[in-house]
Amino acid sequence: MARDQLKVLSALDVATTQWYHFTAVVIAGMGFFTDAYDLFCISLVTKLLGRIYYSEPGVAKPGTLPPHVSAAVNGVAFCGTLLGQLFFGWLGDKLGRKKVYGMTLALMVICSVASGLSFGHSTKGVMATLCFFRFWLGFGIGGDYPLSATIMSEYANKKTRGAFIAAVFAMQGFGILSGGMVAIAVSAIFKHSFPAPPYADNPSASTVPEADFVWRIILMFGALPAALTYYWRMKMPETARYTALVAKNAQQAAADMSKVLQVKIEQVQEKADRPRPEDRRGEFGLFSREFARRHGLHLLATATTWFLLDIAFYSQNLFQKDIFSAIGWIPKPATMNAVEEVYRIARAQTLIALCGTVPGYWFTVALIDRIGRFTIQIVGFFFMTVFMLALAVPYRHWAEPSHHIGFVVMYGLTFFFANFGPNSTTFIVPAEIFPARLRSTCHGISAASGKLGAIVGSFGFLYAAQNQDKTKTDAGYPAGIGIRNSLFVLTACNFLGLLFSFLVPESKGKSLEEMSGENQDDGEQAPASDPHFNNRMIPV
């Protein structure tokens, strides 16, 4: 690697934390805010969709989505996300982070609105168009994972890089929280404006015609935060690391850094812009033997741990309906009208997000650059294993009404250590340990592995956790292995995640070039104290 390029990047590594870093967190983080809102808000309205489109006259219980329709409505966005992570991750390394960043956001805005419109009047027409647009919404969301993580890692200095990437990811918690709050507000307004009797009193009148607007408004609201940040995303310059290491334009990288980070950086000589033969020595491809030697185990570790984590993380919704019903947060469906059920579900999920989800993310932000990624991931997987096992072994004990509060506490702690643990670190580490020209691609592969785990956790265990007695399963589902046995399987997944975490390197306090080995071509890394660089703040 050209020493001039390393000198440019060494200034970035020691740059003082300043306002633009926080601006970048907000710009990238609002994408993740939107991602989480769009992915999780569908669970708030699936019961309503069942009542509106699948109710049958004379049936004692409100209508519900058939298993195959429920799987499609809830899972099609995950499938789109998986493919988007792979495609946009690869494209971000080919075309540059900035060029691709706007594409993903525009796709998210358009498809959020279109999901709420869901053209058609028949049940099949509405469900088909809803699934179609949510697939492409997920495709756009998928691109946000590798691009947001990569951009933030390449902008940040090495001292606070972990906290800034974690802060971007932590916006996911606020997205989940906001989804619940929007659903509460919309359903409360409609509940007050269009009162209706409970289903048990009058099945046909319990779902007012205006209820069809509720789910559409909730889904379409996801376009707003994404649209508000589109202009600022387009104003962000390409990252200096991509410009210097991939585009081979160290002079432009220095100019961009001087502009956005408010530091004075001496312009690199023009000769650095002309790639020399020795600059190409380390440019191995993703499928090369050299990549396998240097980073093969790293990619295996990041992909496997993310896969195992998401199996456990996304399967936790198996217990939500039982927990919420047991502690009285959600009454039996027949005792509510359609809009009130949305209100109750949204309120319960908002409380879970507020108490268990959001705090875990911000504990990671506060501590990741102090105790390191490796420690947080190991501790997180360890306690997820412990708490999941503590739920599984005495499951019959927790099932008793007098012990439901204890079950909720254990459930909340599992969520907390997922977020103050591997749910955050699996997002952060792949953005730090791979070479610049493959960083977005490798993060996309790791994230796609996680989304595959999410599909297994959300839908595989939805079937697996069904009662072993066919007469006690949910409508339309075959017999499964039961919740207790499912908990044992999830415990094993967490334990395997703990073991694979020992293959993940610690990146705390190290430059991206040091982690990826891109500083080895010249034999040493350019010193951060090089006299050619003046890293002092310029008053704004």
Side-chain angles (χ1 to χ4, degrees), residues 118-393:
S118 290
F119 316 106
H121 298 288
S122 67
T123 295
K124 287 185 178 180
V126 172
M127 293 299 130
T129 54
L130 175 61
C131 289
F132 175 81
F133 288 119
R134 281 193 62 78
F135 173 85
W136 290 109
L137 173 64
F139 194 71
I141 288 171
D144 225 42
Y145 277 74
L147 292 169
S148 291
T150 300
I151 285 173
M152 200 65 245
S153 72
E154 293 181 346
Y155 268 125
N157 61 52
K158 62 183 180 181
K159 184 179 179 180
T160 58
R161 185 179 63 237
F164 281 123
I165 305 173
V168 169
F169 192 64
M171 294 298 286
Q172 188 176 76
F174 287 127
I176 297 170
L177 189 63
S178 296
M181 294 173 67
V182 169
I184 288 172
V186 172
S187 58
I189 292 169
F190 275 78
K191 186 173 69 166
H192 176 75
S193 302
F194 307 100
Y199 184 88
D201 294 347
N202 190 333
S204 60
S206 68
T207 304
V208 295
E210 292 79 7
D212 195 53
F213 292 109
V214 172
W215 69 270
R216 296 177 186 275
I217 292 171
I218 292 171
L219 295 188
M220 287 165 54
F221 190 87
L224 184 60
L228 290 176
T229 55
Y230 183 82
Y231 171 78
W232 298 108
R233 278 201 181 189
M234 294 299 92
K235 292 284 288 183
M236 293 178 75
E238 184 56 83
T239 69
R241 283 187 159 89
Y242 183 88
T243 303
L245 299 176
V246 183
K248 302 297 183 184
N249 191 339
Q251 188 177 35
Q252 183 62 48
D256 288 342
M257 284 165 47
S258 296
K259 179 180 178 181
V260 301
L261 293 180
Q262 299 296 316
V263 294
K264 181 177 174 58
I265 301 175
E266 183 175 311
Q267 293 294 320
V268 181
Q269 296 298 317
E270 183 67 23
K271 63 181 180 180
D273 294 339
R274 296 192 299 268
R276 296 170 295 182
E278 59 268 28
D279 295 340
R280 300 284 182 180
R281 289 179 300 178
E283 293 195 357
F284 47 84
L286 179 65
F287 300 105
S288 67
R289 184 174 299 177
E290 185 65 16
F291 178 86
R293 184 182 70 83
R294 292 193 186 191
H295 301 290
L297 280 179
H298 294 163
L299 185 57
L300 173 67
T302 56
T304 305
T305 53
W306 206 336
F307 172 77
L308 293 166
L309 174 276
D310 274 7
I311 290 178
F313 186 79
Y314 282 88
S315 67
Q316 292 185 49
N317 60 15
L318 298 176
F319 324 116
Q320 287 191 2
K321 65 179 187 298
D322 297 322
I323 292 172
F324 295 158
S325 299
I327 62 180
W329 285 357
I330 301 180
K332 293 183 181 299
T335 64
M336 300 178 285
N337 64 51
V339 177
E340 184 181 0
E341 187 174 33
V342 175
Y343 176 83
R344 297 272 190 161
I345 293 171
R347 188 178 65 174
Q349 293 202 11
T350 300
L351 287 171
I352 289 290
L354 191 61
C355 298
T357 304
V358 173
Y361 285 121
W362 291 98
F363 266 77
T364 301
V365 174
L367 297 175
I368 191 165
D369 286 313
R370 297 184 183 182
I371 63 179
R373 292 76 161 140
F374 177 79
T375 302
I376 288 177
Q377 183 156 320
I378 290 292
V379 169
F381 266 127
F382 173 77
F383 279 108
M384 287 178 70
T385 303
V386 168
F387 288 123
M388 199 70 80
L389 191 62
L391 289 173
V393 175

Side-chain angles (χ1 to χ4, degrees), residues 416-435:
F416 175 82
F417 280 104
N419 294 313
F420 178 50
N423 194 37
S424 296
T425 55
T426 52
F427 175 80
I428 295 166
V429 173
E432 299 181 308
I433 63 176
F434 298 107

